[in-house]
Amino acid sequence: MVRALYPGSFDPVTRGHLDLVDRARRLFDSVTVAVARNSSKQPLFDVEERIEMLRHELPEDVAIVGFQELVVDFAQRNGFGVVLRGLRNVGDFEFEYQMALTNRHLRETVETVFVMPSHRFSFLSSSLIKDIVRYGGDVSSFVTPRVEDALRRKLRG
Ligand code: ADP
């Protein structure tokens, strides 16, 4: 059994995240999405809102949890052998490579696995999407209609 943990901010979930989960479900026995509570990124949505949006968009066999500790500690304590991360471009690679090796140093038993999204989503980020909505742009090809509504309500009232 290989259980994968997919940690991140998901502020909010994008079609890129969903694409990654789809691919991961074909690779691993189970996939759990872990939403960071202690993000230093000043999230727009609180963790409960982010989890609720994910719940509507993800298949039922994908579990969703909030967490507030080192990813590798959470993974090991809960029996996850794999930490899943997305690689969109070389910009991601530098940071992710450093983090993966740091995590390996902390917990030898937890392996980081990178998956690349469809090229259609490889330029997408939650922060870019928030900027587009802030200035009234169309993000319907980047997020689901439900998430787009939530963004509009939050950013444009
Ligand atoms: P974090 O704060 O951990 O970077 P994000 O929600 O931005 O949280 O991203 C979580 C994970 O999902 C990261 O591994 C990131 O590379 C990946 N990711 C983000 N956007 C995309 C996308 N468009 N396609 C594939 N993976 C993505």
Side-chain angles (χ1 to χ4, degrees), residues 6-11 14 16-17 20 39 41 84-88 92 96 117 121-122 124-126:
Y6 180 26
S9 310
F10 306 99
D11 185 45
T14 71
H17 295 128
L20 219 70
S39 179
K41 291 183 172 175
L84 173 75
R85 295 286 290 175
L87 266 194
R88 288 166 290 190
D92 273 352
E96 294 290 340
F121 306 125
S122 63
L124 273 194
S125 72
S126 298

Side-chain angles (χ1 to χ4, degrees), residues 59-74:
E60 275 185 14
D61 66 348
V62 176
I64 306 162
V65 295
F67 76 105
Q68 191 165 20
E69 62 187 295
L70 283 177
V71 167
V72 280
D73 287 350
F74 184 84

